[in-house]
Amino acid sequence: MATSFDDSATRGKRAGFAKRISTHLALALVSFCLMQIFIVGRMGGSLVLHLGIIIAIGGFAIVARHLERRWVMLDRSGLSREGLRLRFRRDVLQLWCGSLLGALLWIPVAMIFHALFG
């Protein structure tokens, strides 16, 4: 499991952690968007829920940009490669858990919305 967070696709290239986190952010954003659209669509989403998706994606983009800036600064710092690797794994785990669980939060929101407004 730990090797999946080590990003084996860029292992031979020796890419910086900032570039690798950007790749994870892009994939997490796409999966976040697709899951939200699928869940709201399956729950019989209304215009209000679709507007909520737009707001959630905007919030995700703001957080993603902050995380990307953080990794650009960390990549330029003098931290050891092992210290960066540990931080990278933690941030990637938090990113993917937040992305997947954040998208799944639309299930109870849609259920409550349909219970209140039919």
Side-chain angles (χ1 to χ4, degrees), residues 4-18:
S4 66
F5 296 116
D6 199 22
D7 205 11
S8 61
T10 59
R11 187 177 297 146
K13 298 177 189 172
R14 229 26 175 174
F17 287 104

Side-chain angles (χ1 to χ4, degrees), residues 83-114:
L84 287 172
R85 186 175 293 127
L86 179 66
R87 286 177 175 85
F88 180 78
R89 287 181 183 166
R90 184 196 62 212
D91 282 355
V92 168
L93 180 65
Q94 289 175 350
L95 170 69
W96 280 103
C97 288
S99 175
L100 298 175
L101 293 176
L104 292 176
L105 285 176
W106 283 104
I107 295 173
V109 169
M111 292 171 76
I112 292 169
F113 182 81
H114 285 294

Side-chain angles (χ1 to χ4, degrees), residues 32-48:
F32 180 72
C33 295
L34 290 176
M35 282 182 64
Q36 283 188 27
I37 291 168
F38 177 75
I39 290 170
V40 169
R42 295 291 289 173
M43 300 294 281
S46 68
L47 180 62
V48 173

Side-chain angles (χ1 to χ4, degrees), residues 31-75:
S31 64
F32 180 72
C33 295
L34 290 176
M35 282 182 64
Q36 283 188 27
I37 291 168
F38 177 75
I39 290 170
V40 169
R42 295 291 289 173
M43 300 294 281
S46 68
L47 180 62
V48 173
L49 291 176
H50 283 91
L51 290 174
I53 289 175
I54 294 169
I55 293 169
I57 292 170
F60 186 95
I62 291 169
V63 171
R65 183 64 186 139
H66 173 72
L67 185 61
E68 194 172 29
R69 283 185 192 152
R70 176 177 179 259
W71 273 98
V72 167
M73 289 188 309
L74 281 173
D75 220 10

